[in-house]
Amino acid sequence: MVNRLEILTQHVHDKQYYYWIHHDLFSAQWWLIVILSALFLFIFYLLVNRQRIVFILLVFFSLALY
């Protein structure tokens, strides 16, 4: 029974991976997210207070991990 459950779980995982590779990865929405993220980082770089960069990055990474 456990072996069959593992086989079915692996089958579902394979189907999800196939769907992600062939339908989600490099789609228009994926490119939009990549471009907006890069744009945000560029604007952040232009506007950030260079004197407090360490503190700002510390807060950012601590919130990202939360």
Side-chain angles (χ1 to χ4, degrees):
M1 182 69 179
V2 174
N3 191 23
R4 177 142 171 82
L5 184 59
E6 290 175 358
I7 291 171
L8 289 174
T9 303
Q10 184 63 38
H11 181 70
V12 169
H13 178 269
D14 292 342
K15 290 286 187 183
Q16 289 175 337
Y17 182 74
Y18 177 84
Y19 183 83
W20 179 72
I21 290 291
H22 295 285
H23 296 283
D24 289 339
L25 187 62
F26 302 123
S27 66
Q29 292 87 359
W30 187 86
W31 282 111
L32 180 65
I33 291 170
V34 169
I35 290 169
L36 288 177
S37 296
L39 182 64
F40 168 75
L41 289 174
F42 179 71
I43 291 171
F44 176 77
Y45 176 76
L46 291 177
L47 299 178
V48 70
N49 182 353
R50 304 282 193 288
Q51 309 296 328
R52 299 177 57 189
I53 189 70
V54 173
F55 178 72
I56 291 170
L57 290 175
L58 178 67
V59 170
F60 174 76
F61 286 125
S62 67
L63 288 175
L65 292 175
Y66 179 71

